[in-house]
DNA sequence: GGTAGTGCCG
């Protein structure tokens, strides 16, 4: 591989194999070259490891998610702690904000779930250096714990805050409470809520929703209802979120009839406590989950008379129910009735295609998809991807390609998963449909679409053996 | 400021 030895701006190492015992097998893929910004940050990060944040402050480079990912990818190889410090520093940067997606990505790259010590080590490092850690920084660390779903780590960090003379606020507590609840550690969560009172913090709406949901999920409806009373007693007026959570618990653990009755009392409320689209969707899901999709229709009518418009989630719930219970005619009727200003025929039919697939009705789903194409509708990228994949997995590669080609001919291609392209291309080549393969490659080149280089090796080998050398080199040109 | 309830995607 005579590539890139001379390239100094290397980086963006992708660790393809993550198990710790195969560090030698780490594949260094020069997929995307790191940005100048990432290089600058990396240089300053490694300059003087005892003054990390100060060094970073002096860097003048644009901070964005791509650049952060690149820095983390590099740090993950042998300096995960520096990666954590960089991530925390970046969160406080005035021109940048991490999304929840970035928190998850950082956790994955730095492997916090398997190696929580990387977090505790960083906190201990701050302490040893006498670094002043703010509440804001601790909240970033707590969000990392949340992304890693590590309740013990969250608890540890919350305790550490005192040592840094940081007073956790309600949000800090809420994050840890939610983590405990996700692990069904309800008593400990209640303990933290009590502890809040001792330092003059009060549980807020978010705290109550979390713990009420915890009790509902555990089937402890009486406790959940008791908490609603407690919050009212504290002057915290329950809103639609609180009541929807309770309604969900009733659907799952008591009865749909009681939930309906409760919905009725909500409908008589005013302002923030009135049912909204989520409340009605929860009720609809309740019916669907108990195999009573037809009755969900009545809820839809009730929603309409309250002036609440159903959204995508509402439709997915009902369509899922109809498909599972075999009420296809009802599904079509529903779509006819509701397609209009909010949601188009295309979107609703695409949802139906997805619902049919989820219900295991692949034939019906493909039929609906073909009907869409025949009537000039535009299926969503997701529906198209799933249908083509499903057809290929049944061993009908050529059919999959014909569907793809029909989509292409009907106008602009929807956003299809990149792995659909690689699966389709591999299938066509394997079955020696070289004309179609060439057509697909042509479309990909035209649309600047690339497939993972790891997927191309077998294809190229097969093409070379078959004497299709031109095609083989075309495939090389679209690998990423 | 970005932690909560239906659910999908990044």
């Amino acid at each position: 591989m005579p590539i890139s030895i001379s390239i100094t701006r290397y980086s963006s190492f992708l660790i393809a194999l993550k198990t710790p015992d195969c560090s030698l097998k780490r594949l260094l893929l020069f997929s995307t070259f790191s940005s100048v910004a990432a290089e600058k940050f990396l240089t300053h990060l490694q300059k003087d490891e005892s003054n990390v944040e100060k060094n970073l402050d002096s860097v003048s480079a644009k901070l964005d998610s791509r650049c952060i990912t690149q820095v983390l990818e590099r740090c993950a190889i042998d300096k995960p702690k520096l990666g954590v410090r960089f991530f925390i520093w970046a969160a406080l940067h005035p021109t940048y904000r991490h999304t929840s997606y970035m928190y998850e990505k950082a956790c994955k790259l730095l492997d916090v779930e398997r190696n929580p010590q990387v977090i505790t080590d960083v906190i201990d490092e701050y302490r040893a250096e006498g670094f002043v850690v703010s509440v804001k920084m601790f909240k970033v660390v707590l969000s990392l714990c949340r992304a890693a779903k590590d309740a013990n780590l969250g608890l540890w960090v919350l305790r550490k805050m005192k040592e840094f003379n940081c007073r956790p606020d309600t949000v800090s507590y809420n994050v840890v409470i939610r983590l405990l609840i996700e692990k069904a550690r309800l008593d400990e969560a209640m303990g933290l809520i009590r502890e809040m009172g001792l330092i003059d913090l009060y549980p807020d709406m978010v705290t109550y929703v979390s713990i009420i949901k915890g009790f509902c999920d555990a089937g402890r409806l009486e406790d959940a209802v008791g908490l609603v009373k407690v919050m009212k007693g504290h002057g915290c007026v329950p809103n639609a979120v609180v009541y929807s959570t309770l309604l969900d618990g009733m659907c799952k653990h008591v009865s749909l009839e009681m939930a309906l009755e409760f919905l009725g009392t909500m409908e008589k409320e005013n302002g923030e406590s009135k049912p909204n689209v989520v409340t009605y969707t929860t009720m609809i899901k309740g019916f669907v989950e108990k195999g009573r999709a037809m009755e969900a229709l009545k809820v839809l009518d009730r929603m309409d008379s309250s002036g609440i418009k159903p959204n995508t989630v509402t439709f997915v719930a009902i369509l899922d129910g109809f498909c599972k219970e075999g009420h296809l005619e009802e599904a079509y009727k529903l779509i006819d009735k509701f397609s209009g200003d909010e949601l188009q025929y295309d979107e609703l039919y695409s949802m139906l295609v997805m619902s049919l697939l989820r219900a295991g009705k692949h034939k019906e789903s493909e039929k609906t998809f073909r009907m869409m194409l025949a009537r000039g509708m535009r299926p969503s990228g997701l529906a198209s991807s799933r249908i083509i994949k499903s057809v290929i997995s049944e061993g009908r590669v050529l059919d999959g390609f014909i569907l793809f080609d029909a989509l292409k001919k009907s106008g602009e291609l929807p956003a299809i998963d990149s792995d659909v392209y690689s699966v389709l291309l591999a299938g066509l080549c394997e079955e020696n449909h070289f004309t179609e393969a060439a057509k697909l490659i042509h479309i990909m080149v035209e649309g600047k679409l690339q497939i993972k280089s790891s997927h191309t090796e077998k294809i190229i080998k097969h093409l070379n053996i078959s004497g299709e050398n031109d095609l083989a080199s075309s495939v090389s040109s679209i690998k990423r």
Side-chain angles (χ1 to χ4, degrees):
Chain A
M1 284 207 301
I3 42 164
S4 62
I5 301 300
S6 61
I7 297 172
T8 44
R9 263 176 48 209
Y10 62 100
S11 186
S12 190
F13 294 93
L14 290 182
I15 305 173
L17 296 158
K18 281 191 179 145
T19 41
D21 59 323
C22 59
S23 54
L24 279 177
K25 289 193 213 159
R26 280 175 176 172
L27 294 183
L28 309 179
L29 300 175
F30 296 84
S31 58
T32 44
F33 290 95
S34 67
S35 60
V36 182
E39 284 304 325
K40 276 189 187 168
F41 286 121
L42 280 166
T43 315
H44 284 257
L45 264 176
Q46 287 160 324
K47 201 164 70 182
D48 170 12
E49 291 191 15
S50 62
N51 245 326
V52 177
E53 287 73 19
K54 216 177 231 168
N55 286 330
L56 286 171
D57 282 335
S58 71
V59 181
S60 61
K62 197 175 170 277
L63 202 54
D64 56 23
S65 57
R66 188 173 154 254
C67 145
I68 288 172
T69 306
Q70 288 167 341
V71 172
L72 292 183
E73 277 171 354
R74 177 61 191 86
C75 287
I77 296 171
D78 53 2
K79 299 223 181 333
K81 279 187 275 181
L82 272 185
V84 171
R85 286 182 80 140
F86 171 74
F87 189 81
I88 296 168
W89 171 85
L92 301 189
H93 196 93
T95 63
Y96 174 83
R97 190 109 261 147
H98 290 312
T99 57
S100 62
Y101 174 67
M102 275 308 286
Y103 276 101
E104 279 167 38
K105 194 156 191 179
C107 273
K108 229 175 256 161
L109 286 170
L110 301 167
D111 206 12
V112 179
E113 276 176 60
R114 268 192 306 183
N115 184 25
Q117 211 192 327
V118 73
I119 301 286
T120 56
D121 281 353
V122 166
I123 306 282
D124 289 340
E125 253 177 38
Y126 286 147
R127 189 106 182 91
E129 290 167 24
F131 186 82
V132 181
V133 184
S134 62
V135 179
K136 261 191 182 173
M137 291 177 83
F138 269 113
K139 289 210 263 192
V140 176
V141 180
L142 285 171
S143 294
L144 275 171
C145 301
R146 172 159 155 48
K149 296 183 172 61
D150 193 328
N152 289 336
L153 187 59
L155 269 175
W156 185 89
V157 173
L158 191 70
R159 298 296 173 228
K160 272 283 160 181
M161 290 178 78
K162 270 192 214 104
E163 285 181 32
F164 285 81
N165 286 323
C166 280
R167 182 173 167 275
D169 57 6
T170 303
V171 174
S172 314
Y173 270 97
N174 283 347
V175 172
V176 182
I177 286 168
R178 166 82 194 253
L179 272 170
L180 287 168
I181 289 167
E182 277 171 358
K183 303 281 178 193
R185 290 160 67 173
L186 297 180
D187 294 342
E188 286 168 88
M190 284 301 284
L192 279 190
I193 293 176
R194 275 190 288 273
E195 184 185 303
M196 289 170 81
L198 301 177
I199 54 167
D200 258 351
L201 285 176
Y202 291 94
D204 62 6
M205 198 74 84
V206 176
T207 324
Y208 282 117
V209 169
S210 303
I211 190 75
I212 287 169
K213 179 171 163 52
F215 280 127
C216 283
D217 287 348
R220 292 167 62 177
L221 265 288
E222 322 77 43
D223 291 313
V225 172
L227 275 163
V228 174
K229 280 183 191 142
V230 169
M231 69 186 287
K232 278 180 178 164
H234 287 301
C236 190
V237 183
N239 63 11
V241 181
V242 173
Y243 287 141
S244 303
T245 307
L246 215 51
L247 186 91
D248 185 49
M250 291 178 192
C251 288
K252 285 181 178 138
H253 298 285
V254 189
S255 72
L256 296 171
E257 284 64 32
M258 182 199 236
L260 272 180
E261 208 174 297
F262 184 69
L263 183 63
T265 64
M266 279 182 80
E267 284 170 334
K268 289 183 198 111
E269 295 270 342
N270 291 310
E272 297 292 293
S273 320
K274 282 172 76 157
N276 60 21
V277 59
V278 179
T279 320
Y280 285 109
T281 303
T282 302
M283 189 71 238
I284 287 170
K285 276 182 72 77
F287 276 109
V288 167
E289 274 158 23
K290 295 273 191 270
R292 293 163 63 177
M294 290 307 291
E295 287 166 87
L297 276 179
K298 286 186 213 153
V299 182
L300 203 61
D301 286 338
R302 218 159 134 172
M303 202 171 168
D304 186 53
S305 32
S306 298
I308 308 281
K309 290 243 181 299
N311 63 17
T312 319
V313 187
T314 320
F315 285 116
V316 168
I318 299 205
L319 291 175
D320 269 350
F322 284 157
C323 292
K324 246 171 236 148
E325 296 175 31
H327 300 306
L328 274 232
E329 286 311 312
E330 292 296 335
Y332 292 127
K333 257 165 53 187
L334 188 81
I335 292 174
D336 276 337
K337 187 170 165 192
F338 281 93
S339 62
D341 31 295
E342 301 282 319
L343 286 158
Q344 307 296 322
Y345 262 107
D346 305 37
E347 296 171 83
L348 287 165
Y349 270 107
S350 295
M351 286 181 218
L352 178 58
V353 168
M354 296 295 296
S355 288
L356 284 164
L357 280 180
R358 274 194 294 270
K361 307 202 154 113
H362 293 244
K363 272 209 186 85
E364 286 292 353
S365 175
E366 188 183 334
K367 217 170 99 186
T368 307
F369 186 81
R370 289 181 184 278
M371 183 275 289
M372 288 182 77
L373 289 176
R375 294 199 198 163
M377 287 187 231
R378 317 259 37 226
S380 68
L382 192 63
S384 308
S385 304
R386 295 291 158 84
I387 283 288
I388 294 173
K389 267 193 241 180
S390 147
V391 167
I392 296 172
S393 71
E394 286 173 11
R396 295 152 49 207
V397 179
L398 206 51
D399 277 353
F401 177 77
I402 292 167
L403 282 177
F404 172 83
D405 200 39
L407 267 174
K408 164 81 183 151
K409 278 177 186 144
S410 70
E412 202 181 319
L413 264 179
I416 289 175
D417 278 1
S418 67
D419 54 325
V420 171
Y421 289 99
S422 45
V423 173
L424 198 50
L425 187 58
L428 289 172
C429 291
E430 247 167 64
E431 295 187 5
N432 301 332
H433 300 303
F434 299 126
T435 320
E436 288 78 8
K439 226 165 150 183
L440 180 61
I441 292 168
H442 179 72
I443 292 168
M444 292 178 70
V445 172
E446 237 182 7
K448 295 195 174 72
L449 298 159
Q450 295 181 315
I451 51 178
K452 277 192 193 150
S453 57
S454 54
H455 290 161
T456 57
E457 304 306 324
K458 251 178 91 178
I459 303 175
I460 293 174
K461 207 171 158 190
H462 180 83
L463 287 171
N464 280 326
I465 291 169
S466 315
E468 296 285 339
N469 303 51
D470 286 351
L471 260 188
S473 63
S474 302
V475 173
S476 309
S477 74
I478 53 165
K479 85 173 162 191
R480 160 161 67 94

